[in-house]
Amino acid sequence: MSNTVISPVDNSAEDVYVEDIPRIGMTFGSENDVYEFYNQYGRKSQRQISNVDAYGIDLADDSGIRPKATFDLMGMQVAGSESLGYTREDLNNYLRTKRQCHLVFGEARSLLAYFENETRNNPSFTYSMQLDNEEQITNIFWADPRMLIDYALFGDVVIFDTTFCTNKEYRPFGIFAGFNHHRGVTIFGAALLHDETVPSFKWLFETFLEAHGQKKLITIFTD
């Protein structure tokens, strides 16, 4: 092992080779440390999520199970997470890549392209997005200039409906609607939600009021 750099080290250090990526000039306490590092790095390069595990992870993610809980659940099925062949970081990276692909090719990307185009054509167009702790889009709200004007005129009574589910994830599509002076239906805003939980609705109603200049409605009908 003539190419190995072995230098005197501080024995009080808890771990000499704390880095997990090889680089030129790394120092080790002994040849045994070099061998152990080589084995650890080799195992990390070979880690991968199998198609079977990926299917289980996708099912858990689609069911709304958080990544940590998914990793623990997958570990329980093989008598311990150390037997999985991948780490929790690998699972997070897999989900992050999956969501980024969905963002590029899916409905979220199409909506963003639509929003950008509408904003360029009319600065009064407004939209808001809520992100989760991994900076992924969860809830989206938008209102065009016609919706803003109609709410200012006819927004005392609002109907809010989330019964429409328009995509394979069954994410609720919500509409704020009302009636104009001709008793015709008019739209005050629309939203694509991640779920129908209290935090999502709280964000949506606060965003709706902000978009409409904090003009509060008098009555709201919803199921």
Side-chain angles (χ1 to χ4, degrees):
M1 301 181 67
S2 58
N3 293 328
T4 302
V5 178
I6 302 178
S7 305
V9 297
D10 182 1
N11 292 330
S12 64
E14 181 179 354
D15 192 359
V16 177
Y17 45 96
V18 294
E19 298 178 82
D20 57 1
I21 300 176
R23 62 175 177 79
I24 298 176
M26 292 184 70
T27 59
F28 300 86
S30 66
E31 292 191 5
N32 184 63
D33 290 343
V34 178
Y35 182 71
E36 180 62 23
F37 175 85
Y38 170 79
N39 287 334
Q40 290 182 5
Y41 179 71
R43 287 193 294 268
K44 180 178 180 180
S45 300
Q46 296 174 4
R47 287 200 318 253
Q48 61 180 348
I49 297 177
S50 68
N51 291 335
V52 173
D53 286 341
Y55 180 73
I57 293 171
D58 289 342
L59 285 178
D61 185 53
D62 292 341
S63 300
I65 301 176
R66 304 298 297 174
K68 181 181 183 303
T70 298
F71 184 74
D72 293 340
L73 177 62
M74 300 293 285
M76 290 173 59
Q77 296 176 353
V78 293
S81 58
E82 63 277 1
S83 301
L84 283 174
Y86 58 89
T87 66
R88 181 180 168 190
E89 180 182 357
D90 296 329
L91 186 148
N92 288 336
N93 289 336
Y94 169 79
L95 289 175
R96 186 176 296 111
T97 300
K98 171 188 170 184
R99 291 170 181 171
Q100 286 174 344
C101 290
H102 286 178
L103 179 61
V104 172
F105 300 104
E107 58 195 10
R109 183 56 196 160
S110 298
L111 277 175
L112 288 176
Y114 169 74
F115 294 159
E116 292 169 359
N117 182 67
E118 289 298 307
T119 301
R120 284 194 297 268
N121 293 333
N122 195 323
S124 296
F125 184 91
T126 182
Y127 69 93
S128 296
M129 298 179 296
Q130 186 183 39
L131 307 180
D132 61 15
N133 55 9
E134 296 179 353
E135 297 187 354
Q136 302 298 318
I137 297 175
T138 55
N139 300 316
I140 307 173
F141 169 83
W142 67 96
D144 63 26
R146 181 74 261 173
M147 297 175 185
L148 300 179
I149 294 173
D150 285 344
Y151 182 77
L153 296 173
F154 313 112
D156 290 341
V157 179
V158 174
I159 302 168
F160 178 66
D161 190 2
T162 59
T163 59
F164 300 99
C165 295
T166 61
N167 51 47
K168 66 185 181 67
E169 286 85 11
Y170 296 97
R171 292 190 175 186
F173 177 69
I175 293 179
F176 293 90
F179 296 96
N180 59 26
H181 54 290
H182 297 298
R183 295 186 180 181
V185 176
T186 183
I187 306 299
F188 303 140
L192 186 64
L193 302 176
H194 182 267
D195 52 38
E196 294 184 277
T197 61
V198 171
S200 289
F201 283 132
K202 183 175 185 296
W203 175 87
L204 177 59
F205 293 145
E206 290 176 349
T207 301
F208 176 81
L209 288 178
E210 182 179 356
H212 290 290
Q214 300 298 331
K215 179 183 182 297
K216 296 182 178 180
L217 50 88
I218 296 176
T219 303
I220 182 169
F221 293 96
T222 182
D223 60 351

